[in-house]
């Protein structure tokens, strides 16, 4: 994909594909210079982690900028039909022998009951995928099959009926995934001389409260805004923690009332 195409916002065709299939592959989405700066920064991050020097990822220049990367923001504005806030950014460097991840889905909701609002994960493969270390498995159209996040674990990393295996992607590729889509990482041999650079960033559509990411969202968002990631105010809303709630305090109360048909306990029903 040329840089010009990558900077256009989402086509109606792509939006429709995403809505139906639950994912959208963007080959070579990150332009090469930015991509190589990100790779360098992930190496720095790994060195910091080894030295127990833990910093918020938004405080790293390039990874911070990735969280409000303009071509992505423009696509999300179309998919979300409006505003959204960042849930988290994770960065990793997977080495040979990485154990993979069993089938799961990452939609944040407690308990899992509907898909009224959109949450997406953007998977960035900075040095692509080549069939070594781990392949991405995706089950298209699974975003609306409501199941607990870890409820698919028993399927391991085997193919499922209709699932896709993504094992060949050019460097700088991104995949926008509806967070409710079932996915896995299947371990593969090889990659001793070529670790896999992986970043995922997720965003939640405004309109409902979402379970927060950890206990430091306020601090993370403040760091992001102070670092200019809001891009002169245009994307300050991406770093707004008021769209999230802390699940811990309500868990105990909820578990007490979680019996039978929950719908009967809602005001106005029953
Ligand atoms: Fe995941």
């Amino acid at each position: 994909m040329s840089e010009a195409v990558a900077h256009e916002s989402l086509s109606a065709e792509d939006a429709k594909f995403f809505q139906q299939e639950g994912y959208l592959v963007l080959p070579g989405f990150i332009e090469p210079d930015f991509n190589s700066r990100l790779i360098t920064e992930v190496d720095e991050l790994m060195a910091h982690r080894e030295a127990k020097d833990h910093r918020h990822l938004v405080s790293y220049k390039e990874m911070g900028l990735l969280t409000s990367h303009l071509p992505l923001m423009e696509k999300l504005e179309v998919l979300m039909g409006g505003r959204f806030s960042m849930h988290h950014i994770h960065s990793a460097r997977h080495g040979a022998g990485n154990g993979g991840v069993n089938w799961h889905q990452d939609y944040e909701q407690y308990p899992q009951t509907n898909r009224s609002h959109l949450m997406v994960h953007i998977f960035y493969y900075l040095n692509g995928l080549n069939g070594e270390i781990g392949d991405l498995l995706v089950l298209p159209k699974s975003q609306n099959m409501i199941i607990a996040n870890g409820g698919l674990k028993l399927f391991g990393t085997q193919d499922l009926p209709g699932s896709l295996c993504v094992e060949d992607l050019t460097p700088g590729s991104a995949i926008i995934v509806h967070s409710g889509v079932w996915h896995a990482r299947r371990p593969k041999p090889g990659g001793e001389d070529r670790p896999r650079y992986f970043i995922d960033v997720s965003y939640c559509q405004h309109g409902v409260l979402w379970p927060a990411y950890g206990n430091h969202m306020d601090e993370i968002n403040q760091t992001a805004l102070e670092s200019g990631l809001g891009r002169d105010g245009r994307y300050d809303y991406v770093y707004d923690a008021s769209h999230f709630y802390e699940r811990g305090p309500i868990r105990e109360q909820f578990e007490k009332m979680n019996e039978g048909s929950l719908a009967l306990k809602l005001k106005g029903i029953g």
Side-chain angles (χ1 to χ4, degrees):
M1 183 182 283
S2 73
E3 194 173 327
V5 171
H7 283 73
E8 281 177 12
S9 66
L10 203 69
S11 69
E13 204 179 11
D14 282 353
K16 191 176 172 199
F17 183 90
F18 175 83
Q19 277 153 12
Q20 289 179 351
E21 303 298 315
Y23 73 99
L24 186 65
V25 181
L26 306 170
F29 180 60
I30 302 295
E31 55 95 10
D33 286 352
F34 184 30
N35 194 55
S36 57
R37 291 197 299 275
L38 282 164
I39 288 175
T40 302
E41 205 174 66
V42 172
D43 283 330
E44 287 168 17
L45 169 70
M46 294 305 134
H48 289 158
R49 283 185 180 161
E50 270 178 38
K52 306 269 186 254
D53 176 4
H54 296 292
R55 311 176 191 186
H56 292 313
L57 294 196
V58 292
S59 71
Y60 290 84
K61 184 179 175 198
E62 311 297 343
M63 288 187 282
L65 286 169
L66 183 66
T67 65
S68 60
H69 187 49
L70 289 174
L72 192 267
M73 295 295 98
E74 287 166 1
K75 289 183 190 302
L76 290 190
E77 282 168 342
V78 177
L79 288 180
M80 298 278 190
R83 294 186 165 192
F84 48 89
S85 288
M86 183 175 79
H87 186 262
H88 70 256
I89 171 172
H90 292 154
S91 296
R93 189 180 60 198
H94 301 143
N98 184 281
V101 182
N102 290 337
W103 282 102
H104 66 285
Q105 60 88 7
D106 291 316
Y107 190 86
E108 288 284 350
Q109 190 177 55
Y110 179 66
Q112 297 274 329
T113 49
N114 63 70
R115 297 290 182 260
S116 68
H117 289 66
L118 179 59
M119 177 177 183
V120 297
H121 275 59
I122 323 300
F123 297 157
Y124 294 99
Y125 294 95
L126 301 181
N127 62 342
L129 286 176
N130 69 344
E132 296 176 337
I133 300 177
D135 297 338
L136 171 68
L137 304 180
V138 172
L139 184 63
K141 299 188 174 81
S142 56
Q143 65 271 25
N144 295 317
M145 298 205 282
I146 316 289
I147 189 163
N149 298 93
L152 301 157
K153 200 177 170 188
L154 78 171
F155 293 131
T157 58
Q158 300 297 306
D159 288 328
L160 296 180
S163 67
L164 300 178
C165 176
V166 184
E167 58 180 350
D168 184 13
L169 282 179
T170 55
S173 293
I175 305 182
I176 304 176
V177 180
H178 184 305
S179 302
V181 156
W182 302 7
H183 60 282
R185 187 168 67 243
R186 173 188 288 155
K188 292 285 287 291
E192 282 78 5
D193 54 354
R194 191 174 183 275
R196 172 91 53 240
Y197 289 83
F198 178 68
I199 297 179
D200 82 75
V201 192
S202 80
Y203 304 88
C204 298
Q205 182 186 3
H206 288 184
V208 290
L209 290 179
W210 297 84
Y213 174 68
N215 303 317
H216 302 286
M217 279 190 101
D218 284 328
E219 198 180 302
I220 291 167
N221 286 328
Q222 196 183 334
T223 303
L225 293 172
E226 284 167 3
S227 306
L229 304 186
R231 300 182 188 262
D232 296 324
R234 183 175 171 191
Y235 291 109
D236 283 356
Y237 71 78
V238 173
Y239 308 99
D240 181 355
S242 72
H243 297 276
F244 300 89
Y245 71 91
E246 284 189 37
R247 186 165 52 182
I250 66 153
R251 183 193 294 272
E252 194 182 338
Q253 192 187 350
F254 175 74
E255 291 303 331
K256 273 185 205 155
M257 66 179 285
N258 185 17
E259 56 177 23
S261 297
L262 288 178
L264 297 177
K265 304 188 184 209
L266 298 177
K267 277 181 193 164
I269 296 184

